[in-house]
Amino acid sequence: MKLFSCLMALLLFLLQAVPGLSLPRDTLHCLGYHGYCFHSKSCPEPFVAFGTCSHRQKTCCIDTTSNFHTCQDEGGHCVPPAIDCLEEQEGLCAHRKWKCCAEV
């Protein structure tokens, strides 16, 4: 029983000590794109919705005045890495490994 208590204490310590380890996956995804988590379902200006946070209970919003524009805002299409682009362009895709293409 003492071993179990020590392991649980170590686990709780690690969850508090390592930043990002205890955050939900959708929140980490949002923060990876320099987004912000808002309680409301709509984003205030100049932000646009880019997904969810906190297990789909908050809205992930990104700043449209920064260099982090979504692919669709730039007129592109998000495609998986297996597809070759004729012309790549700048823009964020909801899936981190996908790329933004002007022409597929």
Side-chain angles (χ1 to χ4, degrees), residues 45-68:
E45 291 289 331
F47 296 92
V48 293
F50 190 66
T52 61
C53 295
S54 301
H55 301 292
R56 297 183 180 193
Q57 295 188 5
K58 295 179 182 178
T59 303
C60 174
C61 301
I62 59 171
D63 187 357
T64 58
T65 61
S66 71
N67 293 330
F68 305 105

Side-chain angles (χ1 to χ4, degrees), residues 2-15:
K2 282 187 177 184
L3 179 63
F4 179 75
S5 297
C6 288
L7 288 175
M8 289 303 293
L10 179 63
L11 178 66
L12 288 173
F13 172 76
L14 288 175
L15 287 175

Side-chain angles (χ1 to χ4, degrees), residues 28-48:
L28 290 174
H29 183 259
C30 179
L31 296 176
Y33 283 112
H34 305 280
Y36 300 93
C37 297
F38 288 95
H39 288 284
S40 64
K41 293 294 178 188
S42 61
C43 300
E45 291 289 331
F47 296 92
V48 293

